[in-house]
């Protein structure tokens, strides 16, 4: 994060963290806290190994970005790999009863008041794009977490602002999504 220019203040503001590289560290902690296995699995943070063979941690050795709903409650996570050999580069929480990726915009809970006040939203692709813009004073920023912008996400933005500035990556996928 330091190499990417993310300050300690922004690490705190965005609640960034790190997931252990162990395969069962979180699963074990959930068990120690008495969390039932069905709830562990429903969280999207652990995955079932197979028929009655236990669970493993979904996020391992990743920089973690909490994803909030519009009211600010954590509903999912994005995890960025820290090593080139760990793929995919970004891993998001799976769909859960409370996290529907197509209906969520990253940072909306922080950006919505500025969007209303300025009547403008700045839409970017990912977590680090949001943090960079926010750090530079562009607080009316949110991310679609990829270039798959959905009608539901557009509707959410339209409810908050009449103008949307799209700042997706200048690659082919970003250009197509912007169009």
């Amino acid at each position: 994060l330091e190499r990417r220019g993310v300050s300690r203040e922004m690490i705190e503001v965005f609640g960034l963290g790190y997931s252990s590289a162990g395969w069962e560290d979180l699963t074990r902690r959930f068990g120690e806290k008495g969390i039932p296995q069905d709830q562990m699995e429903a969280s999207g943070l652990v995955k079932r190994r197979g028929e009655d063979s236990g669970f493993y941690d979904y996020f391992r050795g990743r920089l973690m970005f909490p994803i909030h709903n519009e009211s600010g409650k954590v509903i999912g996570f994005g995890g960025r790999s820290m090593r080139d050999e760990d793929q995919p580069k970004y891993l998001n929480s799976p769909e859960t009863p409370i996290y529907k990726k197509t209906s969520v915009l990253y940072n909306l809970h922080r950006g919505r008041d500025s969007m209303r006040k300025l009547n403008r939203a700045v839409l970017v692709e990912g977590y680090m794009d949001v943090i960079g813009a926010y750090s530079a004073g562009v607080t009316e920023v949110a991310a679609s977490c990829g270039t798959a912008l959905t009608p539901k996400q557009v509707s959410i933005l339209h409810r908050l602002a009449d103008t949307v500035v799209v700042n997706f990556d200048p690659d082919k996928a970003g250009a197509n999504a912007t169009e």
Side-chain angles (χ1 to χ4, degrees):
L1 289 171
E2 190 175 278
R3 281 194 317 259
R4 294 283 304 264
V6 179
S7 69
R8 289 202 179 275
E9 178 189 6
M10 287 298 108
I11 291 169
E12 291 294 321
V13 166
F14 285 90
L16 305 182
Y18 180 75
S19 61
S20 168
W23 279 82
E24 296 178 355
D25 293 348
L26 183 60
T27 302
R28 193 174 308 108
R29 287 200 93 177
F30 279 165
E32 289 167 0
K33 297 217 178 265
I35 296 173
Q37 290 184 340
D38 62 329
Q39 286 183 7
M40 282 194 268
E41 189 172 21
S43 75
L45 296 172
V46 301
K47 293 287 188 184
R48 186 176 294 277
R49 286 192 191 279
E51 291 293 320
D52 298 322
S53 62
F55 295 87
Y56 65 93
D57 297 355
Y58 186 62
F59 296 102
R60 295 176 308 281
R62 290 178 176 268
L63 172 61
M64 298 299 294
F65 300 84
I67 300 170
H68 302 80
N69 64 14
E70 195 169 347
S71 64
K73 291 189 167 89
V74 175
I75 57 172
F77 292 90
R80 189 194 189 289
S81 64
M82 301 299 290
R83 302 177 315 171
D84 290 338
E85 61 268 18
D86 291 340
Q87 295 299 317
K89 182 177 176 181
Y90 281 96
L91 184 64
N92 293 313
S93 287
E95 296 271 319
T96 68
I98 62 169
Y99 176 63
K100 308 283 186 239
K101 183 178 178 180
T102 58
S103 301
V104 174
L105 290 162
Y106 179 72
N107 197 55
L108 186 66
H109 71 292
R110 271 185 219 91
R112 68 180 176 182
D113 290 342
S114 293
M115 290 174 189
R116 282 188 185 118
K117 181 179 176 184
L118 299 169
N119 197 26
R120 176 183 65 224
V122 175
L123 182 66
V124 296
E125 284 186 39
Y127 313 114
M128 292 300 289
D129 300 324
V130 164
I131 293 169
Y134 197 92
S135 296
V138 180
T139 58
E140 69 276 20
V141 64
S144 59
C145 296
T147 54
L149 184 63
T150 67
K152 175 71 174 168
Q153 291 168 323
V154 170
S155 175
I156 292 166
L157 289 173
H158 180 65
R159 179 173 44 86
L160 298 169
D162 290 330
T163 301
V164 177
V165 177
V166 179
N167 189 19
F168 285 167
D169 293 345
D171 57 17
K172 185 174 174 104
N176 288 339
T178 300
E179 185 63 34

